[in-house]
């Protein structure tokens, strides 16, 4: 299918009420008064960020979700995305494109986000780059740099599940990008498949934490590494209570070293990690009783990450995902 037919047929569904979307040289966004533009981009490469067997719908969904998660981590309200699609000819089929675009639009609809432009090229390797834009009231974005001594460290949900799922289907993490058998992905239990392929960006929680959280990050590379970014950028340390970290039952059933490995180093869950004062936490919980928050530690003056298990210090290697 030609580039323009492909764009018209699969990626031109959305219209902006207050701007211009797909079809001109650029999209146009009209920012509201007193808002700042918050913008991020993330690339997914076949065989590197998802196994080659992954269904087109899941690829489209996750490519959007990981970007919305970055916006959530700043407390931003997502507005729109751009999609740069590098497509092998094997994937240029009506079936693949309609499922992929449905995944893109399903993730967009979850957060009232519009696809307003992009780029489409032929490539040997399926590569999806999404740029996401959102808005935040001037000066109110939550960054990694504001953690204060005495803050409670919280996360929004279980960590380690996606990397545990990936571990079940791969023989070798740095292998050829295929699952160990053609059906390994399909055979995963549903909740593991969802954790790996359909992460929920914590957009509502992120926005609601404005005015409460001092610092925030989304957990894409592992709790230890991502919390580590908050600590180094805030010039503080933290104490983590390992037994308070919420885990999937299958991970909880593992021997401690393996369990803690997934909890601390497992990436790709896209939960939020944030810090706030005890008083603000109590207020937040009273006002948002349905939003799940897990208290897992405290910000302290001593630099670095101290790990405790039932109040006893534990020494564990913390690595997180290494891209290179
Ligand atoms: P140009 O040549 O001026 O860069 P293109 O021909 O690449 O423009 O794109 C035409 C229009 O289609 C533009 O509005 C662009 O944003 C949009 N577009 C191209 N590829 C995609 C895509 N994969 N998803 C959404 N919009 C796209
Ligand atoms: Mg042009």
């Amino acid at each position: 299918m030609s580039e323009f037919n492909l764009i018209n047929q699969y990626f031109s569904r959305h219209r902006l009420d207050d701007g211009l979307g797909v079809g001109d040289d650029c999209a146009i966004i009209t920012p509201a008064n007193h808002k700042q533009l918050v913008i991020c981009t993330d690339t997914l490469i076949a065989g590197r960020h998802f196994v080659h067997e992954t269904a087109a719908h899941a690829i489209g969904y996750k490519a959007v979700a990981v970007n919305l998660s970055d916006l959530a981590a700043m407390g931003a309200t997502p507005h729109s995305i751009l999609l740069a699609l590098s497509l092998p000819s094997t994937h240029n089929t009506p079936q693949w494109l309609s499922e992929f675009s449905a995944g893109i639009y399903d993730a967009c609809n979850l957060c009232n986000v519009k696809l307003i432009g992009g780029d489409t090229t032929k490539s040997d390797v399926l590569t999806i780059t999404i740029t996401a834009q959102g808005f935040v009231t001037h000066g109110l974005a939550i960054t990694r740099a504001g953690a204060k001594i005495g803050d409670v460290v919280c996360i929004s949900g279980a960590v380690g599940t996606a990397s545990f799922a990936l571990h079940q289907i791969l023989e070798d993490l740095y292998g050829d990008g295929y699952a160990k058998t053609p059906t390994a992905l399909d055979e995963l239990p549903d909740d593991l498949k969802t954790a790996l392929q359909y992460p929920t960006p914590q957009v509502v929680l992120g926005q609601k934490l404005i005015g409460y959280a001092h610092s925030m990050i989304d957990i894409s590379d592992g709790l230890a590494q991502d919390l580590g970014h908050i600590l180094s950028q805030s010039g503080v340390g933290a104490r983590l209570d390992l037994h308070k970290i919420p885990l999937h039952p299958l991970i909880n059933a593992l021997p401690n070293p393996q369990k803690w490995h997934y909890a601390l180093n497992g990436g790709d869950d896209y939960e939020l990690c944030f810090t706030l004062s005890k008083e603000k936490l109590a207020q937040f919980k009273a006002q948002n009783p349905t939003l799940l928050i897990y208290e897992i530690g405290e910000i302290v003056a001593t630099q670095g990450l101290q790990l405790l298990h039932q109040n006893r210090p534990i020494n564990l290697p913390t690595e997180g995902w290494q891209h290179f």
Side-chain angles (χ1 to χ4, degrees):
M1 188 174 317
S2 84
E3 178 189 345
F4 299 109
N5 287 341
L6 190 156
I7 296 166
N8 283 336
Q9 196 158 340
Y10 297 106
F11 301 110
S12 305
R13 209 188 280 181
H14 280 160
R15 295 278 169 272
L16 278 180
D17 300 330
D18 58 345
L20 190 62
V22 172
D24 220 305
D25 289 307
C26 294
I28 301 178
I29 302 172
T30 312
N33 281 340
H34 313 298
K35 293 286 180 186
Q36 285 179 305
L37 176 65
V38 184
I39 185 162
C40 62
T41 194
D42 239 320
T43 293
L44 299 192
I45 301 171
R48 173 142 284 273
H49 297 100
F50 53 88
V51 291
H52 292 289
E53 294 86 350
T54 308
H57 185 280
I59 298 170
Y61 175 95
K62 188 163 173 180
V64 177
V66 300
N67 278 281
L68 299 184
S69 176
D70 280 327
L71 292 179
M74 309 294 290
T77 301
H79 175 275
S80 51
I81 61 164
L82 301 168
L83 163 65
L85 179 59
S86 305
L87 196 66
S89 35
T90 44
H91 291 65
N92 187 354
T93 64
Q95 186 184 349
W96 194 89
L97 285 164
S98 62
E99 286 174 16
F100 173 75
S101 66
I104 296 270
Y105 284 113
D106 283 350
C108 283
N109 293 340
L110 205 68
C111 300
N112 196 24
V113 161
K114 301 279 183 355
L115 172 60
I116 60 169
D119 192 27
T120 305
T121 55
K122 192 168 162 179
S123 157
D124 291 338
V125 183
L126 174 64
T127 305
I128 302 111
T129 297
I130 289 192
T131 301
Q133 298 83 227
F135 289 102
V136 69
T137 300
H138 203 286
L140 294 191
I142 305 167
T143 69
R144 300 174 177 184
K148 294 187 171 43
I149 294 162
D151 274 3
V152 186
V153 177
C154 299
I155 55 177
S156 58
V159 286
T161 320
S163 83
F164 178 77
L166 187 63
H167 200 87
Q168 307 311 300
I169 64 166
L170 287 189
E171 215 116 51
D172 168 9
L173 264 191
Y174 299 97
D176 59 4
Y178 287 89
K180 56 188 171 192
T181 66
T183 53
L185 184 56
D186 281 341
E187 288 162 2
L188 275 178
D190 282 346
D191 55 349
L192 292 188
K193 225 185 301 183
T194 302
L196 185 58
Q197 302 195 299
Y198 289 95
T200 303
Q202 298 293 328
V203 167
V204 172
L205 177 63
Q207 289 169 63
K208 293 215 168 186
L209 282 166
I210 284 191
Y212 291 92
H214 289 146
S215 67
M216 182 148 64
I217 193 167
D218 71 321
I219 305 170
S220 51
D221 295 336
L223 173 62
Q225 192 175 107
D226 288 323
L227 175 57
H229 294 311
I230 287 185
L231 302 183
S232 56
Q233 295 193 30
S234 302
V236 294
R239 192 206 71 227
L240 266 196
D241 297 314
L242 292 170
H243 59 281
K244 293 188 182 165
I245 300 174
L247 298 172
H248 186 282
L250 288 174
I251 300 180
N252 228 350
L254 295 171
N256 280 341
Q258 271 170 277
K259 167 158 67 178
W260 294 334
H261 166 74
Y262 285 115
L264 294 170
N265 302 323
D268 243 14
D269 288 300
Y270 303 98
E271 297 294 347
L272 293 176
C273 176
F274 52 95
T275 77
L276 71 186
S277 70
K278 291 192 177 72
E279 299 73 38
K280 288 281 186 184
L281 176 60
Q283 279 175 26
F284 187 85
K285 289 208 290 197
Q287 277 163 30
N288 301 279
T290 57
L291 289 178
L292 288 179
I293 290 182
Y294 301 87
E295 299 155 44
I296 59 168
E298 191 181 348
I299 297 293
V300 298
T302 312
Q303 307 262 323
L305 192 58
Q306 304 162 38
L307 303 173
L308 297 183
H309 182 239
Q310 275 142 9
N311 296 323
R312 282 201 315 273
I314 302 261
N315 248 331
L316 286 173
T318 52
E319 304 138 14
W321 174 252
Q322 299 297 325
H323 293 271
F324 294 101

